[in-house]
Amino acid sequence: MATGLRQAPPPRQLFQPDLSSSRQTRHSSGHHQSPQPTAAAHTGYNYASSNPNSASFAIANYEPRPPMPLTLRPILTPGNNPALFKERLRLAREPRKIELGLITPSTKGMMKPGAGFEGPNIYVRTLQGLRSQVPEEQDYALHHLVKISHERGDKYKFDAFPNLAEGLIEYVLGVSSLFYDVKWEIRYSDNEHGINILDGIRGTPDILQRIQCLKRIDTPDQMESEEFARKLTKILEAGLTIRNLALLEDNAKYLADMPQLRDFLSIAINLPSSSVTTELKHYALEIAEQVTKYWPMDESDPLYQSLLTQVNDGRDRGAVITSLRALSRISTSLDDINSLKGLPVSIIRRICEWILLEDEELIHACLDFLYVFTAVPENVGFLLSNSDEFPISSFLGQLARLLQFHATATYVRTTASEKVTVTAAVEIPGVPRDLLDQFLKYDEPDRSNHWLRSVFEEDKESSITQIALWSAYQYRFNEHTTERTGLLPAAEFIKNVSSIFAGANAQVVSGPNPKFIIKGIRPRHAPMDPKGRVYSRCLWKAPGSSPCGEFLLKPKHMFDHIVYQHIGVDRKSDSLSWDFESQSRATQLPPDCFWAGCRHFARRDGSAPTAYELGMHVKTHLPDQSNKASHRQKSNRTPVNQTIPPTRPINDQRALTRVPKVDPEYGREEKNYYQKFEVAPTDDMGNAIGLPWGSVVVLRNLARNIPKAAALLEPDKREAFSKEAMEGLFGPLRDRLLFVMAYNKPLAGFIYEVLGYIDKGSALSE
C-alpha cells in the first residue's frame, strides 16, 4: 500500500456576520442560494485576520489596561495636624469675642463701600479739593495743580473747569492776611459794602486807597512761624499756577474777563517790600504782562498806577522789565489807543539812563515802551516841554548809536569788466615845507627815493601811469634844481621805483591806446616823514571857500595853525601863548567850527562863540598826545559790542575790496568787487529785529511827531523850540543815518522814512 503525505485538515472558518443590507431584492426573495466557496477557501488563506476592522484582528491584538494607582488620604486628627484644629478653635470662639467686645470684626476679603469705582480724575479731584475749604484737600490740590500747569498747561483751560480760576484767585488773595488785618471777600451784589469787600462784577476802583488804610501786622522777616511758612508756600503755589496757565492765550482771554483779577494784581504788586513777597510780585507782574493787552487803561486805573510805581522805583531789574512790557502791551488787542498818559518825567529820564547800559533785555523793554509812548504827539510835546529835565538831543544820539547794535559784516560780490583804472597825478599828496627841506639836503637818487617813500605806499591792486609819476616828480623838484643836483632821467627814475618798492613793476596795458603804468603802488592819503610819522591834513573849510588841506606833523602845530590862520588870533608878547582876548587880526570871528562840517555851535540860541570857545573846541578834533593820554584812553574805552560807523561819504571806494582777473587777450581786467555791508539782526523773512529795529521806529515816531507836538506847545515854549528846530536836533545825526541807510539794508527803508520826516519838519519849522 502506497503511503503519501498527510493531508492538511480543512481550515476552521469563524462566523462572519453579513454586513450588507438586510433587504433582499424581489428577485432573490424566494430563492436561497448556498454559499459558494471562495478562492480563499481553496487556497487556505484567512483574510479576516489581517483586516483591522475585523473582530478577530481586535482579539488577536488585545492588550489589557495598566493598573491605576489608588490615591489614599489620611484622616485629619489633632495628632497629625494640630495647626488646623487650633485655627478651627479660634474661628469658633471669634463670634463670642466679638459679641463681648473683646475684638473688632475683621474686614479682610470684604468689599468696602466705593470699591471698584475709579472716582473722579485728577483734574476734577484738584478742582473739588481747592473749593472744599478743607486745608488738607487744598494742599493736595495746589501741589498737583502746580505740576499740571507746568506739564499740561497747554491743554488745561479755565473754561473747561468752571470755578477753577475763581478758586485760585480767592485763595491767593489770602496773602494780605499774612501782612494786614484784613480778609478779602469777593461779592457779586451791590448790597454788601466794607473795606474788605471786593466787587466781583465791576472791580474795585479804590483798591489802592483801601490798601493804604489797612492796619499792618508785625511780621518779622527773619523769624517765620511754621504756619506762616506753610500758608505762604501754598499761596505761592496758587500764584504760580495762575501764572503758568495765563501763558496760554485762551486762558489769558478768560482771565481778562474777571474784574477780581485786576484787584488781585493791584494788591499783589503793592504788597510790603520784603524778601518773602518778591516771588509773588513777579508772578503778578508776569500775569499782568499776558492780560493787559485785553484791557483799556487810563491814568486813574489802579493797576496802571501800580505798574508805573514799579518802573519808577527801579530797584528790581526783573520787575522793571516786566512792568515796562505790561505797560507797552496795554489794549494792543483792542481798538483803543494806548496813550500812556500821566507819566512823570522821572520815568522818562530813568529810561534814557537805562538805554546807556549794556543790558540788551532791559534796552529792548525800554525801546518797546518808548515806541508806544512816542506814537502819540501829545506825549512828544510832553518831552519837548520838559527839555530841561529830558535832553532830547542826547537821547536821539543814543538811539542812533543803537542802529548798528550787533550788526554783522557781510560781503556782496559784483563783477564788472572794465579797463584798468589809473591814479591821476593830482591825487598825489603835497609835501609840507619842513619835510621838503629835509629832502633837499640829499642828492639824487636819494632825494627822489625819500620822496617816493613819503608820498607812495605798496598796493598790489593799484597802479599809476609812468607819465603821471614822472610829472609829479618834476613838479615837486623842478624849481629846486641846480647844476649840482639835477633831475634824474625818466628811465632811471622809473627803474628806481622797482628797487624801492619790491612789489612794483613797469607794465604795458595793451589796447587801442596802450598805457605804460607802474603796477603795485598807490599815493598815500597823507605824507610820511623818514621816521615813519604820518602827517595830518587840516580839514577846515569855511563856507564859500576851498578846503585848507595843509599838512602838519604834530597836534600842537595843527592847533597853532587853526588858531592863527582860521580863527585869526595872534600870540601874546611873550610868544608862548595865544591872546584870545584881543582879536587884532580877525576882522570877523568865525560863527562856528568849520572843521569837516562840525557845526558844534549851530544849536546855540543865537549867541556866537568867542575866540576862546572856538580854540578850546578845536582841541577835541586833534589827537591827544599829552602825558595823560594813556590814562584817558583807559577811562574812555569803547565796548566791544558797540559799533560806531566812520564818518565818510557813502560812495567812498575804500568800502570796496576787489580781486582782479586780467584777460590776456584783450588786456582788460575783470574785477570782482566785494561790497561790505553791516547787516542788522533779521528774522526768517529778512525783516529787521532786535535793538536796531526798536531804535529806528522810535526815531521815526519822533521825526514824524515833533513838528505836530511843537504846534501843541504854549506860545512861549513854541517860540523857544523854533530856535532849535528839526535840523538842530537831527542835523548831527544825518551822516550816521546816511551811513546806516547805505550799508545796513534791513534798515534802509526805515531810515529813508526818518530822513523824509526830518526834511519835511525842517521845512515846516522854517
Side-chain angles (χ1 to χ4, degrees):
M1 176 176 179
T3 61
L5 296 176
R6 183 182 175 183
Q7 297 291 329
R12 183 176 298 174
Q13 296 182 359
L14 299 176
F15 172 77
Q16 296 181 356
D18 187 7
L19 300 177
S20 63
S21 175
S22 59
R23 296 183 61 185
Q24 297 180 356
T25 63
R26 183 177 302 176
H27 176 75
S28 61
S29 60
H31 303 277
H32 297 277
Q33 296 180 0
S34 60
Q36 297 296 327
T38 61
H42 295 284
T43 59
Y45 181 78
N46 187 4
Y47 286 95
S49 62
S50 62
N51 186 5
N53 294 327
S54 63
S56 60
F57 182 84
I59 295 173
N61 294 283
Y62 172 77
E63 292 182 3
R65 293 183 178 181
M68 298 294 294
L70 180 63
T71 303
L72 300 178
R73 296 181 180 178
I75 300 176
L76 299 178
T77 62
N80 58 15
N81 196 348
L84 177 62
F85 282 88
K86 185 177 181 180
E87 179 65 18
R88 289 179 178 177
L89 182 61
R90 186 188 67 79
L91 294 176
R93 294 176 178 177
E94 186 174 352
R96 181 59 179 170
K97 291 182 179 181
I98 294 175
E99 183 180 354
L100 297 176
L102 299 178
I103 60 174
T104 56
S106 175
T107 57
K108 184 178 181 181
M110 182 185 300
M111 181 176 289
K112 299 180 181 180
F117 176 67
E118 296 181 359
N121 56 30
I122 186 63
Y123 304 108
V124 178
R125 171 70 187 279
T126 54
L127 174 60
Q128 299 302 329
L130 180 65
R131 304 289 294 177
S132 67
Q133 302 298 325
V134 179
E136 292 78 8
E137 291 293 331
Q138 289 181 330
D139 294 350
Y140 173 86
L142 291 172
H143 171 74
H144 287 278
L145 281 173
V146 171
K147 297 179 62 177
I148 293 172
S149 64
H150 176 66
E151 299 173 359
R152 305 286 295 177
D154 55 336
K155 297 182 179 180
Y156 198 48
K157 299 182 179 180
F158 283 127
D159 55 2
F161 300 93
N163 296 325
L164 175 61
E166 290 82 351
L168 289 171
I169 293 175
E170 290 178 3
Y171 191 91
V172 80
L173 282 173
V175 68
S176 297
S177 301
L178 301 178
F179 303 95
Y180 299 103
D181 186 13
V182 66
K183 182 179 180 182
W184 300 110
E185 298 180 6
I186 302 176
R187 294 291 182 265
Y188 299 91
S189 63
D190 297 333
N191 299 327
E192 299 185 37
H193 302 281
I195 193 174
N196 65 323
I197 302 300
L198 303 179
D199 190 350
I201 300 177
R202 292 176 294 272
T204 310
D206 59 341
I207 186 65
L208 297 182
Q209 290 78 8
R210 296 190 186 188
I211 294 175
Q212 293 177 358
C213 297
L214 296 178
K215 182 180 179 181
R216 179 70 185 275
I217 299 177
D218 294 335
T219 53
D221 294 340
Q222 303 298 330
M223 300 295 293
E224 298 177 0
S225 62
E226 182 179 358
E227 182 65 17
F228 179 91
R230 189 193 69 81
K231 289 182 179 179
L232 182 61
T233 301
K234 295 304 173 183
I235 290 173
L236 292 177
E237 290 180 353
L240 179 58
T241 301
I242 301 175
R243 177 261 181 195
N244 291 343
L245 296 178
L247 298 178
L248 188 64
E249 193 69 21
D250 294 338
N251 289 337
K253 293 180 180 178
Y254 185 92
L255 291 173
D257 296 333
M258 303 179 63
Q260 59 267 39
L261 178 68
R262 301 180 72 161
D263 295 338
F264 156 67
L265 295 178
S266 301
I267 292 172
I269 295 175
N270 289 278
L271 286 173
S273 298
S274 175
S275 58
V276 297
T277 61
T278 302
E279 184 176 354
L280 186 61
K281 283 185 179 181
H282 280 273
Y283 292 158
L285 291 173
E286 292 178 6
I287 297 170
E289 180 184 352
Q290 301 299 323
V291 298
T292 51
K293 55 186 175 182
Y294 302 108
W295 289 339
M297 293 186 185
D298 54 13
E299 53 186 323
S300 62
D301 190 279
L303 181 57
Y304 180 76
Q305 296 179 5
S306 301
L307 294 174
L308 290 181
T309 303
Q310 291 296 316
V311 177
N312 199 19
D313 183 34
R315 290 179 294 179
D316 190 338
R317 172 185 174 275
V320 169
I321 293 176
T322 313
S323 300
L324 288 173
R325 290 174 179 170
L327 290 169
S328 304
R329 299 181 182 182
I330 293 176
S331 68
T332 54
S333 297
L334 306 176
D335 296 334
D336 299 339
I337 298 177
N338 182 15
S339 57
L340 293 176
K341 298 291 186 180
L343 264 70
V345 184
S346 58
I347 290 182
I348 304 299
R349 186 170 59 250
R350 278 181 175 271
I351 291 176
C352 296
E353 294 172 354
W354 290 331
I355 290 178
L356 299 175
L357 302 177
E358 297 182 14
D359 190 337
E360 184 175 355
E361 187 178 7
L362 178 59
I363 297 175
H364 199 286
C366 293
L367 292 178
D368 288 345
F369 178 84
L370 290 172
Y371 171 70
V372 179
F373 182 77
T374 56
V376 182
E378 290 79 3
N379 293 341
V380 179
F382 173 76
L383 298 180
L384 296 178
S385 60
N386 295 275
S387 57
D388 52 344
E389 300 184 26
F390 176 75
I392 190 170
S393 57
S394 62
F395 172 64
L396 293 174
Q398 296 303 325
L399 292 178
R401 176 182 63 88
L402 294 175
L403 293 176
Q404 293 295 96
F405 186 84
H406 280 182
T408 57
T410 59
Y411 296 87
V412 179
R413 185 180 68 178
T414 58
T415 304
S417 296
E418 58 183 28
K419 295 182 179 180
V420 177
T421 58
V422 180
T423 307
V426 295
E427 297 181 0
I428 300 175
V431 179
R433 185 63 192 181
D434 58 339
L435 186 59
L436 181 61
D437 293 340
Q438 297 182 36
F439 294 160
L440 296 177
K441 296 178 182 179
Y442 299 97
D443 296 334
E444 294 293 350
D446 294 337
R447 181 177 64 180
S448 60
N449 293 346
H450 280 88
W451 176 75
L452 288 172
R453 293 191 185 96
S454 174
V455 297
F456 289 93
E457 61 183 352
E458 288 192 24
D459 184 5
K460 62 181 181 179
E461 305 299 337
S462 300
S463 60
I464 186 173
T465 61
Q466 297 180 12
I467 187 63
L469 184 61
W470 169 251
S471 300
Y473 169 67
Q474 284 184 318
Y475 173 78
R476 180 55 55 197
F477 296 105
N478 194 19
E479 59 179 339
H480 304 287
T481 302
T482 62
E483 296 180 358
R484 186 178 62 87
T485 58
L487 297 179
L488 289 176
E492 186 177 353
F493 174 75
I494 297 301
K495 183 179 179 181
N496 285 345
V497 176
S498 300
S499 62
I500 296 174
F501 302 103
N505 56 84
Q507 296 182 1
V508 179
V509 179
S510 59
N513 296 318
K515 290 186 178 181
F516 298 88
I517 65 171
I518 299 295
K519 184 71 174 179
I521 62 172
R522 69 175 181 183
R524 296 180 182 272
H525 297 290
M528 181 181 67
D529 70 349
K531 295 182 179 180
R533 298 175 297 181
V534 180
Y535 282 72
S536 299
R537 184 194 297 267
C538 178
L539 303 179
W540 191 276
K541 183 183 181 303
S545 61
S546 59
C548 174
E550 184 74 18
F551 289 102
L552 296 110
L553 184 59
K554 297 182 179 180
K556 182 180 182 304
H557 299 162
M558 182 67 72
F559 176 75
D560 296 342
H561 164 75
I562 296 174
V563 171
Y564 183 78
Q565 294 291 341
H566 302 300
I567 300 180
V569 178
D570 289 327
R571 289 186 180 272
K572 292 183 179 180
S573 58
D574 56 3
S575 300
L576 298 178
S577 59
W578 296 97
D579 188 6
F580 289 100
E581 299 298 332
S582 62
Q583 304 172 12
S584 58
R585 293 182 55 258
T587 57
Q588 184 178 0
L589 194 67
D592 204 343
C593 175
F594 297 125
W595 179 276
C598 173
R599 300 183 61 187
H600 174 73
F601 300 96
R603 290 171 289 179
R604 297 181 56 161
D605 52 353
S607 60
T610 63
Y612 178 79
E613 291 176 339
L614 281 172
M616 295 301 103
H617 169 72
V618 164
K619 290 184 177 180
T620 62
H621 297 297
L622 307 179
D624 187 5
Q625 293 186 351
S626 62
N627 297 331
K628 297 182 179 180
S630 59
H631 175 72
R632 291 169 181 168
Q633 291 175 0
K634 293 180 181 179
S635 302
N636 300 330
R637 64 182 182 88
T638 301
V640 177
N641 60 350
Q642 176 180 342
T643 303
I644 301 178
T647 56
R648 61 171 182 257
I650 299 304
N651 58 353
D652 192 347
Q653 294 299 320
R654 284 176 291 175
L656 295 175
T657 303
R658 64 182 180 89
V659 180
K661 295 181 180 179
V662 179
D663 189 347
E665 182 177 358
Y666 299 99
R668 298 169 65 86
E669 184 178 26
E670 182 180 345
K671 301 177 182 179
N672 292 330
Y673 287 98
Y674 292 88
Q675 176 69 50
K676 179 181 179 181
F677 294 96
E678 297 182 3
V679 182
T682 57
D683 57 7
D684 297 336
M685 303 298 294
N687 300 320
I689 57 175
L691 300 187
W693 179 85
S695 60
V696 75
V697 294
V698 175
L699 279 172
R700 185 180 61 180
N701 284 349
L702 291 172
R704 179 179 59 227
N705 291 329
I706 282 180
K708 300 177 182 179
L712 302 176
L713 296 177
E714 299 177 0
D716 54 345
K717 294 184 179 180
R718 190 185 314 165
E719 182 180 358
F721 172 74
S722 62
K723 297 179 181 178
E724 188 179 355
M726 292 287 292
E727 191 62 28
L729 292 174
F730 290 93
L733 308 178
R734 187 177 290 272
D735 290 343
R736 186 184 292 267
L737 294 178
L738 291 173
F739 176 87
V740 174
M741 185 174 67
Y743 293 104
N744 202 330
K745 295 302 181 182
L747 300 180
F750 296 99
I751 299 297
Y752 179 79
E753 294 181 17
V754 172
L755 294 174
Y757 286 126
I758 293 174
D759 296 338
K760 183 178 179 180
S762 299
L764 292 176
S765 62
E766 293 176 358

